[in-house]
Amino acid sequence: MKAFAYRVAKSEEEACKLLGEKAVAIAGGTSLLNLMKNHVVQPDTVVSISRLSGCDKIEPAAAGLKVGANVRIADLAASAEVKKGYPALAQAAANVASPQIQHMGTIGGNLCQRPSCWYFTQEAFDCLKRGGSTCPAREGENEFHAILGNDGPCVMVHPSSLAPALVALGARVRIAGPAGAREVGIEELFVLPKTNPRAETVLAPNEIVTHVLLGASWPQSATYEVRQKASNDWAISTASVALKIEGGSCADARVCLGAVAPVPWRAAGAEAALKGKPVTEESALAAAEAAVAGATPLNQNAYKVTTARTAVRRAILLAAAAK
Amino acid sequence: MPKWPESRQIMGTKVARLDGALKVSGKAKYSYDRNLPGLLHAKILRSPHAHAKIIQIDPESVKGLPGDKAVHLIKDAGSELHYAGDEIAAVAAETEEQARDAVRAMKVKYQVLPHIASEEQALKQGGDVVKAPNVSQGGDVEAAFKEAAATIEGTYGAAVITHVCLETHGLVAHWRAPDDLVLYASTQAVGATADGVRGHFKDVPNLKVVCETPYMGGGYGSKFGPDIQGLVAAELARKAGKPVKLMLERDEEHVAGGNRPSAYAKVKAACDDQGVLTAFQAETWGTGGNSRGAGFPLPYVYAPKNFQRKHTDVMVNAGDARAMRAPGHPQGSLIMEQVMDDLADKLGMDPVELRVRNLPETNRTFQTLKPIYRRELHLGAERIGWFERRRPRGHRSPGPIQRGFGCALGTWGGAAGGSQSTCKIYPDGRVEVLCGTQDLGTGTTTIVPMVAAEILGLEVNDIEGRIGSSAYPPSGGSGGSTTVGGVSLSVAMASRKALGKVFAKAAAALGVQAADLEAEGGRVFVRATPQNGLTWKQACALLGQETISESADKDEGRGMSDQGVGGAQFAEVTVDLETGAVRLQKLVAVADCGLVVNRLLCESQVYGGVIMGINYGLFEERRLDRASGLQINPDMEWYKLAKPADLGEIEVHLLDYPERGVIGIGEPPTIPTAAAIANAVCNAIGVRVSSIPLTPAKVLAALAAKTEPKNGQGKG
């Protein structure tokens, strides 16, 4: 690991001043430290943002909930408010890695983590995201890589378990930067490699996510994750679904897939397939088919079309069954 | 003496590990924990290429870096590097971080050469990388196929996996004097490790090398000698004049610490209408890395009269295989037992019944295991609910979750390995037992005092067992499940001899013959009149200034050990047809190991073996990036391993055959696990998955291949 200076930011203003091209933020540290040990990320300065004031609580807000970026994933999974109003998020949080990581990792860190792609995380490989010429996964070992949105220069899958749920729930994020704070819709936080092959978010090096803002509740929401192991494992495919069912038919639907594309993948086709219809096995299957209709699997990951379809269908049925 | 082998008080009971509290409290000092004054840390520079030649190397390029203390070149310019991870040079520095930085900074120029990263690629390319096939046969296969009642053809396989020792390979090397070297090594063979390093330093006259391994965190066959890192650490320590610690990192452990070869097979097999296997024809291949073979026993357990096998070792640019827990047998069981199931399915016979009909009359260990296998199959089937709950292959339940059952057999030797022990009895009653064996985590530290206490009529805690040092009487490396047999015998015999000396003194004092005496319950007494005796301390006090020291070899304990065991395992799985995810629900392991020495430790061995087998069947795979030949998952993140949630319920049954004597149990329980799981998955989904690990990708691919394309598999 390259030697680095360690600074603790007490306020978001201070954090933004300290951060920069060579100064990276650390919250739970569950991802960053590995990347530093592997010489994949080599900052001069590591800025702790764990002690920023006002960023460690789940608070009621005008429209819904205001979740500080430093809220631990375990606390998110255990929150009565989140479980009641936003079950898709609570379920996604409970799926994250291991209890150890859930207790160290934060919601902000989960959204801003770097890819878990095995080519990205090991210095030995010539990875496009790290300045290499091409993406070695496209023709290489891509069993766990993207089946959607993979027409760009990199075929990573976004590693966040929480992001698909937050997209389905229509969350917004508050971003602090040197010029002050701004708010963007959660979908606008993420960028495809064809827009920026080097980064996964729109954050400038001296910006941080400070809060996640949840609007009106979605009690009929759910997350379904497909993974190989029952214990600590990356998802093969995940789907988060938020529904509004009125008079027996679907008045509104938001569907987002995870672990299948370089960003959390909103499935507009699946949403359209559900709207105006009763939620049944048949309509859920039709929506799931629509969600993967545009899939372009690579040479080792055709099976992920099946797992993604299953995740969407099961998440829809779970959301519809929620009270 | 009505003692073991005639009767037993302590052996066969459950005695908790004597060092358990030390281990869980962190007080046990492993090699990693040896932090001597002035200790330096060493790291190895490894080839970044799967195949290359060193054009130029400049060891001077690390001189003057912070903390730098010594450099040792392992390979010179002109040397060929055979895999990504091949050792090139090593550096010792004041801190581990400085050592890491130094090896990164070393200037090396490589000529990159073409590499091979898969068995398919090797077979396609041919030439040197495909070894001459090994052919074995018996009977007339073709004639048998013509008369068969049922014939099957299938392909089966297993990926390369690595040992994943929790404590990685490595050691601390400390020159206490120019001719006195101590090694604190993580090793399965303290003697061979010390000898290996001594042999390396031929230039040092009368060199004394001692290897100390009081605790070690797993070897599984991969730690039988000093290895390159052992020699390098000693070289660096000598150059620097300070002790050097060199423990491999996790990625090095994966690429350079050994592995179990892959195994693939194309099989055609047939049976008669009674289910008796009549013909077995197999073409097999696998890779043991860049220079090692990938052989495994096949046909396995069952002995078809007519068989023909052609095996080919292929070389790839990857780290070499090493012995791994029951070398070859898990692969043999995996392939053979899937064939047996496929035959049973083809014939419409229950797979347990088909196995019973094919149990071998004799096996290579001179003793028939037939009644043992039969008992195991019966017990395992009963415990898993085989006859009530198992449905024929291809049966579908409503919904996506399908349940399946499978079973498999395994066999192993486990004879007593070479071992010597010394039993010392002091005038104050203290008893010391010295044996140059080592405890890999299997519990030998507890076995030694148990056996001595059994013979001497004392409590386990009365005995001071001393193992884990090459300075003690030589005992072999711990491989082949030979430790418990050898150690039990040499300890028992040394203890008997020493007790004889105590009896001689006591007999004189009691006015009887030594042969009239008995030692039990902490007393030495006259067998016919038990009230006539001495306490152990009183008896030992008769030694005066003398200390008894009696040594014995395991060969003196004839008839107290045996070899040749059979084991049966039954698995119950569920498979999600829509995700391809396999969940192990239950695994029943019925194990045979003759006389159980310590029931608790013995069960632990079976649990551990089963868990390794579950990982083999479901999760583990050393994946090489084909483009670069580098391992893409040299970690514990993408190199997948089970946690408790992935294990299901594991039920262990030990069959007691005390009359057979001690037989090793370390290896046998890992043999049939993956095969039983593969058969259970096939039973659940009605189709064979190409190879282990049984990943969602492969399960869904197998289902897709079976389904007619127009139906669109996996929907619903």
Side-chain angles (χ1 to χ4, degrees):
Chain A
M1 189 188 301
K2 198 185 87 174
F4 60 92
Y6 180 70
R7 306 290 297 273
V8 178
K10 297 280 168 42
S11 67
E12 54 186 63
E13 293 76 19
E14 194 186 356
C16 296
K17 255 183 222 153
L18 291 169
L19 290 168
E21 289 290 345
K22 292 278 178 189
V24 302
I26 188 167
T30 57
S31 170
L32 180 66
L33 284 177
N34 283 339
L35 297 175
M36 288 172 66
K37 285 180 184 171
N38 288 354
H39 298 271
V40 166
V41 178
Q42 302 194 68
D44 293 335
T45 307
V46 172
V47 180
S48 168
I49 54 169
S50 289
R51 285 169 224 175
L52 295 191
S53 52
C55 290
D56 57 355
K57 288 187 197 65
I58 303 173
E59 300 168 281
L65 288 179
K66 184 178 177 189
V67 182
N70 284 332
V71 166
R72 305 282 160 173
I73 294 165
D75 294 332
L76 202 59
S79 159
E81 289 80 13
V82 175
K83 283 202 270 197
K84 184 158 175 269
Y86 313 89
L89 180 59
Q91 291 159 13
N95 282 337
V96 171
S98 63
Q100 292 92 327
I101 287 176
Q102 289 177 21
H103 280 277
M104 283 306 292
T106 64
I107 184 171
N110 187 273
L111 295 177
C112 299
Q113 66 184 305
R114 303 305 310 275
S116 58
C117 168
W118 45 29
Y119 289 102
F120 175 78
T121 57
Q122 293 182 75
E123 189 192 16
F125 294 107
D126 189 28
C127 165
L128 180 102
K129 290 196 85 66
R130 291 189 275 106
S133 49
T134 57
C135 172
R138 178 175 291 285
E139 300 299 330
E141 310 312 316
N142 52 37
E143 182 174 329
F144 300 107
H145 287 74
I147 54 167
L148 288 158
N150 57 8
D151 53 337
C154 157
V155 297
M156 67 168 271
V157 293
H158 198 275
S160 173
S161 301
L162 304 183
L166 292 170
V167 170
L169 298 169
R172 298 177 67 75
V173 292
R174 179 178 175 276
I175 296 170
R182 63 191 164 116
E183 257 184 55
V184 299
I186 180 98
E187 282 174 86
E188 296 155 51
L189 178 65
F190 302 104
V191 289
L192 278 166
K194 57 186 163 192
T195 308
N196 181 356
R198 304 278 183 263
E200 296 78 45
T201 69
V202 297
L203 296 178
N206 54 5
E207 289 185 321
I208 53 169
V209 169
T210 65
H211 295 86
V212 174
L213 309 164
L214 288 162
S217 68
W218 291 84
Q220 289 199 292
S221 69
T223 294
Y224 190 90
E225 187 171 289
V226 176
R227 59 190 194 196
Q228 183 181 357
K229 294 199 296 176
S231 68
N232 187 5
D233 202 1
W234 292 103
I236 291 169
S237 302
T238 186
S240 291
V241 171
L243 302 175
K244 285 206 172 23
I245 298 173
E246 288 164 10
S249 78
C250 179
D252 197 3
R254 294 175 62 92
V255 177
C256 184
L257 285 78
V260 295
V263 297
W265 194 257
R266 181 92 181 264
E271 295 171 2
L274 286 171
K275 281 179 197 167
K277 298 192 188 79
V279 178
T280 61
E281 281 280 352
E282 290 69 32
S283 63
L285 178 56
E289 291 290 356
V292 296
T296 51
L298 306 166
N299 53 27
Q300 294 179 345
N301 68 5
Y303 77 104
K304 286 186 71 168
V305 177
T306 302
T307 58
R309 185 170 51 211
T310 300
V312 172
R313 189 175 56 78
R314 290 183 182 179
I316 291 169
L317 294 173
L318 282 173
K323 292 287 176 260
Chain B
M1 281 184 286
K3 304 235 168 254
W4 181 48
E6 286 78 24
S7 71
R8 291 162 302 281
Q9 308 273 331
I10 297 169
M11 294 174 78
T13 64
K14 292 190 170 187
V15 176
R17 286 171 200 275
L18 299 179
D19 52 3
L22 292 176
K23 285 183 171 181
V24 298
S25 63
K27 293 193 178 89
K29 297 290 177 214
Y30 289 77
S31 297
Y32 256 111
D33 304 318
R34 297 282 176 177
N35 293 315
L36 307 174
L39 182 76
L40 301 180
H41 298 264
K43 292 292 167 194
I44 295 175
L45 171 66
R46 294 177 180 278
S47 173
H49 304 292
H51 191 196
K53 201 176 194 179
I54 302 175
I55 298 301
Q56 197 183 348
I57 179 160
D58 180 12
E60 297 296 311
S61 55
V62 303
K63 286 276 158 66
L65 287 177
D68 165 56
K69 291 295 174 192
V71 182
H72 179 73
L73 268 194
I74 301 167
K75 292 192 179 75
D76 290 320
S79 300
E80 191 175 339
L81 302 167
H82 296 279
Y83 69 100
D86 214 348
E87 298 84 358
I88 298 172
V91 180
E94 284 169 8
T95 70
E96 194 174 6
E97 292 75 14
Q98 287 167 342
R100 279 196 199 108
D101 288 347
V103 294
R104 279 171 62 81
M106 192 172 293
K107 292 202 170 79
V108 189
K109 273 189 197 156
Y110 302 96
Q111 179 194 353
V112 178
L113 302 169
H115 70 268
I116 293 175
S118 72
E119 296 87 340
E120 297 72 40
Q121 198 189 339
L123 287 166
K124 203 169 149 192
Q125 180 177 316
D128 284 355
V129 295
V130 179
K131 300 295 169 194
N134 202 335
V135 179
S136 56
Q137 54 194 345
D140 186 343
V141 178
E142 294 307 333
F145 280 129
K146 284 189 191 123
E147 291 169 14
T151 304
I152 62 103
E153 287 183 67
T155 59
Y156 313 90
V160 173
I161 67 166
T162 71
H163 300 66
V164 205
C165 306
L166 270 189
E167 180 191 37
T168 57
H169 287 65
L171 74 163
V172 172
H174 180 205
W175 293 83
R176 294 182 290 203
D179 59 354
D180 181 4
L181 173 62
V182 60
L183 309 168
Y184 302 99
S186 179
T187 179
Q188 297 176 238
V190 288
T193 298
D195 290 347
V197 174
R198 192 184 304 109
H200 175 77
F201 290 98
K202 291 191 180 71
D203 57 324
V204 184
N206 305 316
L207 173 61
K208 188 179 149 220
V209 183
V210 175
C211 179
E212 302 280 349
T213 309
Y215 306 98
M216 66 93 73
Y220 314 107
S222 69
K223 294 180 177 170
F224 281 116
D227 276 348
I228 286 175
Q229 71 273 0
L231 306 181
V232 163
E235 288 275 8
L236 289 169
R238 184 161 72 156
K239 282 183 193 173
K242 289 190 171 168
V244 165
K245 182 188 284 187
L246 205 179
M247 303 297 296
L248 300 195
E249 309 220 10
R250 182 54 57 193
D251 55 347
E252 298 178 283
E253 185 73 8
H254 274 298
V255 301
N259 55 69
R260 176 183 288 160
S262 59
Y264 296 92
K266 262 187 218 167
V267 181
K268 185 178 176 189
C271 62
D272 64 19
D273 59 359
Q274 295 303 301
V276 174
L277 187 60
T278 50
F280 184 88
Q281 190 176 41
E283 193 175 327
T284 64
W285 66 98
T287 185
N290 66 82
S291 76
R292 296 289 296 269
F296 57 92
L298 194 76
Y300 187 66
V301 171
Y302 315 99
K305 270 199 209 100
N306 308 295
F307 71 95
Q308 191 178 68
R309 182 185 176 198
K310 182 179 145 193
H311 175 79
T312 307
D313 288 329
V314 301
M315 301 296 136
V316 302
N317 291 104
D320 272 332
R322 295 184 184 186
M324 182 167 178
R325 208 166 185 170
H329 286 233
Q331 300 97 301
S333 179
L334 178 81
I335 290 162
M336 192 75 201
E337 292 289 11
Q338 291 186 90
V339 170
M340 298 303 276
D341 255 34
D342 290 352
L343 277 171
D345 175 62
K346 189 74 180 279
L347 199 64
M349 182 179 281
D350 183 279
V352 169
E353 179 58 29
L354 183 111
R355 282 175 172 79
V356 168
R357 293 182 181 204
N358 282 285
L359 289 175
E361 287 301 330
T362 57
N363 81 347
R364 63 191 173 86
T365 61
F366 320 118
Q367 168 153 10
T368 177
L369 293 173
K370 197 169 174 175
I372 293 175
Y373 280 132
R374 197 194 295 268
R375 191 177 155 199
E376 289 173 336
L377 281 167
H378 181 78
L379 178 58
E382 181 191 304
R383 295 302 308 168
I384 203 94
W386 183 271
F387 297 112
E388 309 82 62
R389 301 173 65 214
R390 182 184 174 277
R391 310 284 187 86
R393 180 186 298 184
H395 174 88
R396 277 287 157 88
S397 306
I401 307 295
Q402 301 296 318
R403 191 171 295 268
F405 296 82
C407 68
L409 302 180
T411 183
W412 190 252
S419 177
Q420 293 175 27
S421 291
T422 298
C423 178
K424 292 185 179 184
I425 299 177
Y426 294 89
D428 63 356
R430 236 163 33 88
V431 181
E432 253 187 325
V433 179
L434 289 71
C435 179
T437 185
Q438 49 281 311
D439 187 342
L440 314 189
T442 51
T444 314
T445 298
T446 307
I447 297 291
V448 166
M450 277 181 79
V451 174
E454 178 78 58
I455 301 297
L456 300 175
L458 298 171
E459 299 290 325
V460 176
N461 287 321
D462 295 333
I463 313 292
E464 296 168 33
R466 308 241 182 274
I467 68 165
S469 171
S470 61
Y472 299 146
S475 200
S478 291
S481 304
T482 62
T483 304
V484 70
V487 167
S488 297
L489 268 55
S490 70
V491 170
M493 298 317 290
S495 302
R496 275 194 190 202
K497 285 184 181 174
L499 181 62
K501 293 278 170 99
V502 174
F503 279 1
K505 297 279 184 189
L510 293 168
V512 295
Q513 298 294 312
D516 299 331
L517 293 177
E518 190 72 66
E520 207 178 292
R523 289 179 73 241
V524 174
F525 53 88
V526 181
R527 191 177 300 112
T529 54
Q531 70 281 7
N532 186 14
L534 302 164
T535 65
W536 177 257
K537 277 192 187 262
Q538 287 168 341
C540 294
L542 300 172
L543 297 173
Q545 298 300 309
E546 184 193 346
T547 291
I548 295 170
S549 179
E550 288 294 323
S551 298
D553 188 283
K554 68 100 187 165
D555 285 343
E556 295 169 44
R558 287 191 192 285
M560 292 157 75
S561 66
D562 197 5
Q563 61 176 324
V565 293
Q569 294 186 12
F570 286 73
E572 175 185 350
V573 303
T574 53
V575 184
D576 188 330
L577 297 178
E578 296 169 357
T579 67
V582 178
R583 298 280 179 260
L584 180 67
Q585 302 297 329
K586 183 171 180 173
L587 195 130
V588 175
V590 190
D592 146 42
C593 56
L595 166 66
V596 175
V597 180
N598 180 330
R599 190 161 295 274
L600 198 59
L601 293 171
C602 192
E603 285 173 358
S604 278
Q605 283 300 299
V606 181
Y607 283 116
V610 165
I611 290 166
M612 282 184 93
I614 293 168
N615 278 309
Y616 188 39
L618 295 181
F619 301 121
E620 290 182 273
E621 179 174 8
R622 182 197 68 188
R623 291 169 181 259
L624 298 181
D625 171 47
R626 287 160 298 158
S628 65
L630 273 61
Q631 186 177 348
I632 192 100
N633 61 346
D635 50 37
M636 288 173 148
E637 180 177 2
W638 291 108
Y639 187 98
K640 298 193 179 195
L641 292 161
K643 283 191 168 190
D646 299 300
L647 297 177
E649 180 191 353
I650 301 172
E651 193 176 298
V652 173
H653 296 274
L654 302 178
L655 297 191
D656 276 309
Y657 290 100
E659 66 281 8
R660 296 185 64 191
V662 182
I663 314 176
I665 190 67
E667 283 154 303
T670 207
I671 294 169
T673 315
I677 292 171
N679 281 337
V681 168
C682 182
N683 177 241
I685 66 176
V687 55
R688 276 282 165 214
V689 180
S690 58
S691 62
I692 58 169
L694 304 165
T695 61
K698 285 192 257 185
V699 170
L700 290 176
L703 286 164
K706 178 192 166 192
T707 313
E708 285 174 355
K710 61 178 180 178
N711 290 346
Q713 77 86 39
K715 289 184 189 179

